[in-house]
Structures are given as structure tokens and as C-alpha cells.
Amino acid sequence: MTVATPSLAINGGPAELEGLPALPTWPRFGPEEERGLLEVLHSGAWGSTHGDVVATFEREFARSQQAEHAIALSNGTLALVAALRAAGVGLGDEVIVPPYTFIATAAAALFVGAIPVFADVDADSHLLDPAAVEAVVTERTKAVIPVHLAGNVADMTAFAELGRRLGLTIIEDAAQAAGAQWEGRGVGTIGDLGTFSFQSSKNLSAGEGGIVTTNNKELAGAVYSLVNVGRVPGGGWYQHDAVGYNLRLTEFQGAILRAQLARLPEQQELRERNALALAEQLAGVDGVAVAPTDERVTAHGRHLFLFRVPGLGERGLRDAAAAALAAEGIPAATGYVPLHRNGALLGESRALASKLGQPMPEADCPNADLVSSDTLWLTQSVLLGSEEQISAVGRAIAKVVGRADDLG
């Protein structure tokens, strides 16, 4: 006997999470954060030039990612800017980026006078495609920024080889991938530089903040100088050997991040367990495709849980499906609008190219257009739920996809 799928909650049916505790919210904190903040408060050393909390966090974070150097700074966007400048990327250079990512990845290139060039993503993984990158390399290309989207890891074997072969700087945008590894190596250590974000939604959060990692001492010194108004490590207070920004993190943020970092492994293990359980549950649901994980990803950051419902965008139902999931008790997001169609970025890039007398690269990114139309996200806090909650999330997704025709 066939059992009818229950009506959608948005149409008056029972919500799948009804009767269960609300899904976890973010950020999460405990007495460790409170104690650290009070210690900084009473110390009177609130800035990182006068205390040692940020410096201690830098060492702890570097160790956690297997990096030789880590330099904390004000946010993930300026981490990208500092990495680009440290690598010598500047006026008129081209930086290859994926179009399916946060705007900061592309905007950072413009901030240093370079032009962002878009290469397509893989439609299954949503990650930057190395073959698509090589196809748009020109004599002006200086750097490539593969993004470890959602905590998944881009093909760093291919990107590292591409960088060596073509003489390109590889900067890993690991804003969403704290704790992730590729073949046992922490992300942010495989390319020339790596950047992370500690913005409010991130798995490791201080409200705002970022960090740059590298195994190259010279690059680390250049980033340090950019963060610290041109000073050099171990130099005098008024010794400014370069022109730099002032991007320092406060000791208050360092205290929060130390507590958050100590808690990260346990949370990452829970997210991993729940993500695998949810993926297994959805594997038997017609019309749902979960973003795959390469076997070389030995630790997934699990910042987002991505799944596609092919054809959803063509039918104009993506936003309606997200609203239907919200009615079931699940905070779902529709994700990025492709950056190669962002008017602000295109306008800035065209104006810069025109001033420099350079051609404006045209983007051909059909996969980015495709995945942006039919991908839905679950935030990392959902993956901190109980086994019962995760099962209800899977049932809700199956119900919404199975009754998608009711959303029209």
C-alpha cells in the first residue's frame, strides 16, 4: 500500500520538527569565553600590541592547521587583500576566482588594483574547476584563489601543480573551512597562502576577524608588515620599513577565539557525524543531489550542508522551497548569486580595465549559473542538532522535494 506524503507545513500540514526542541542557534559560547574576556578587561592590555592573547591564538591556530606562520587580522576580506599584496599582486594583474562564492573573494582583487577573472565551478561539488582555471590563464594572470566552499576542499593537488607549472601564486580562501584537511594536510598550508574568516556565522567566530596562514617566512613577514602599519617582526615601534595598514585584532577577540578553537574539534566531529547521516538519508530521495566529497578530503570543515534539486530553478521554485523548509522548522538558504553577473563587480572591473587599456575578460560560467538556481543550504548550526532532529531534517527535505509541485 502506498502511503501518501504528508501535506507541507507551509500549506497547513504538520511541521516535521514540530514537538522537537528548536534546532541549535549560533554562536555558541560558555564560561571559557566569559573568563577570557574578563581577564583581558582587567589586564588593561586590550590591544594586541600590549598583550599576548592574540599572539597565543596565532600560535594555537597555526598548530591546528599545521601551518608554520599565522597572522591574525580584522576580517576575512582584508585577509585576502593582505595575502594578495604580500604576494606582489597589484595594478593590472589578473586574479582567477570562482563565481560561486562570497563577493569578498573577487572584491579583494579589485582592492589591490587587480582584475578578477571568473573560471567556472564543477556542477557537482560547487568548487572551482582546475581545468576551467587553466583555460582562462593569460600573461597577466598572477594568482588563483580556490575557495574551500562550505568546508569542502578544492582540488589542491591540481591547484598546487598548476601554480608550480605556470608560476602562479595560489591563495586558498578557507573562510569556511577551519579544521579542514586535504590528504592529511591542513588547508591554508598547501598553496602559497591561506585565509580564514571569524565572522559571526563561521564555525570559529569572534563576530569579526580573520587570519592568514603560510609556510613561507618571507610571505609571513610581508603579511605581518601589512597588518602592523609597515613594522617588521622584532623591529622598533617607529620602524616602518614598508607602507602597511593597521588591521590588528583586539585581545578581546583573541580571548573568544582561543575558547572557540578549543571547542572546535568536538563540534567538528558532531557536524561530520550528522552530515554523513543526513547525506545517507537523502541518498534515497529522488530529485536530491548532495554535494560529493573527494576521498582526498581527510577532514571536512562542514560549514554548510549543500544539496541540489535539479530543475528547481527552471521551474522558479527555489525560493519557495526554502520557504517551505523554513515552515517545517529548518532554516534553509538559497545561497549565492553568481559573481560573474554582479553589476558592481563588473562595473569596477570594466572601469579599471578601461583605464589600464586592457581587455576585459568575459566570463563563461554555465555551471555557476546552474548551481545557483537549484542549490539549497543548511547552515552549520543545523549540523549541531540531535540525531532525532537530523532525521526530521531529512524527512522535511524529502517531503518538500516530493511535493514541489504544491509550491507553484
Side-chain angles (χ1 to χ4, degrees):
M1 182 177 69
T2 302
V3 179
T5 304
S7 297
L8 298 173
I10 201 169
N11 292 334
E16 284 296 334
L17 272 76
E18 187 175 327
L20 295 178
L23 285 166
T25 57
W26 191 259
R28 306 183 84 173
F29 60 92
E32 298 85 356
E33 282 88 348
E34 183 176 6
R35 183 166 55 248
L37 287 170
L38 287 173
E39 287 174 357
V40 171
L41 179 69
H42 292 294
S43 74
W46 295 357
S48 59
T49 56
H50 293 85
D52 63 0
V53 180
V54 169
T56 301
F57 169 71
E58 289 172 331
R59 291 192 296 271
E60 292 171 342
F61 186 85
R63 188 162 56 247
S64 75
Q65 290 297 141
Q66 306 167 359
E68 293 182 20
H69 308 278
I71 306 96
L73 70 172
S74 53
N75 58 62
T77 300
L78 291 175
L80 286 165
V81 172
L84 286 166
R85 279 201 59 185
V89 178
L91 189 63
D93 292 331
E94 292 180 353
V95 178
I96 300 175
V97 301
Y100 193 74
T101 183
F102 186 57
I103 192 171
T105 310
L110 288 166
F111 291 155
V112 300
I115 296 174
V117 175
F118 297 105
D120 209 0
V121 298
D122 176 81
D124 293 325
S125 69
H126 301 67
L127 298 170
L128 185 62
D129 183 348
V133 167
E134 187 159 7
V136 297
V137 170
T138 72
E139 69 277 3
R140 289 178 294 275
T141 305
K142 191 69 174 285
V144 180
I145 307 181
V147 176
H148 303 317
L149 185 74
N152 202 359
V153 185
D155 186 346
M156 287 310 301
T157 301
F159 283 117
E161 189 277 331
L162 185 69
R164 287 190 295 268
R165 178 161 49 87
L166 300 182
L168 303 175
T169 297
I170 305 298
I171 299 173
E172 300 175 64
D173 183 340
Q176 299 180 353
Q181 295 181 2
W182 177 263
E183 295 187 323
R185 297 177 62 185
V187 298
T189 70
I190 307 164
D192 298 284
L193 297 125
T195 67
F196 298 79
S197 170
F198 307 134
Q199 174 265 352
S200 296
S201 71
K202 299 303 188 292
N203 297 22
L204 187 61
S205 175
E208 290 290 354
I211 203 164
V212 179
T213 54
T214 182
N215 290 335
N216 183 302
K217 184 178 180 180
E218 182 179 339
L219 288 174
V223 173
Y224 176 93
S225 186
L226 287 163
V227 171
N228 290 281
V229 291
R231 296 187 179 104
V232 296
W237 184 255
Y238 292 115
Q239 179 185 346
H240 306 280
D241 290 1
V243 176
Y245 308 107
N246 182 348
L247 305 177
R248 293 187 297 266
L249 211 58
T250 69
E251 293 285 274
F252 292 106
Q253 291 165 292
I256 292 175
L257 287 166
R258 288 196 66 202
Q260 293 271 304
L261 182 61
R263 200 178 290 114
L264 182 64
E266 180 182 354
Q267 291 176 335
Q268 186 169 349
E269 183 179 345
L270 176 57
R271 291 188 188 99
E272 177 70 8
R273 187 165 62 247
N274 281 336
L276 293 176
L278 183 56
E280 183 177 1
Q281 189 175 354
L282 295 177
V285 178
D286 288 340
V288 175
V290 176
T293 301
D294 191 299
E295 62 181 8
R296 293 170 291 179
V297 178
T298 45
H300 195 301
R302 297 297 180 194
H303 178 61
L304 300 168
F305 185 92
L306 303 185
F307 64 95
R308 290 181 57 205
V309 183
L312 199 65
E314 293 177 4
R315 298 158 66 190
L317 297 177
R318 186 195 60 173
D319 292 353
L325 286 172
E328 301 290 342
I330 304 165
T334 54
Y336 298 124
V337 175
L339 296 182
H340 68 292
R341 300 196 180 281
N342 180 279
L345 287 173
L346 293 177
E348 290 273 351
S349 298
R350 288 181 180 130
L352 178 58
S354 178
K355 287 179 182 179
L356 296 174
Q358 295 179 192
M360 173 63 190
E362 295 296 327
D364 180 24
C365 302
N367 287 341
D369 287 326
L370 178 65
V371 299
S372 70
S373 73
D374 59 23
T375 295
L376 293 169
W377 296 359
L378 304 182
T379 61
Q380 52 91 4
S381 60
V382 172
L383 297 177
L384 296 174
S386 67
E387 183 177 340
E388 188 179 15
Q389 288 172 319
I390 294 299
S391 293
V393 168
R395 291 195 303 272
I397 293 172
K399 182 167 75 170
V400 170
V401 173
R403 285 191 169 272
D405 290 338
D406 295 346
L407 299 172

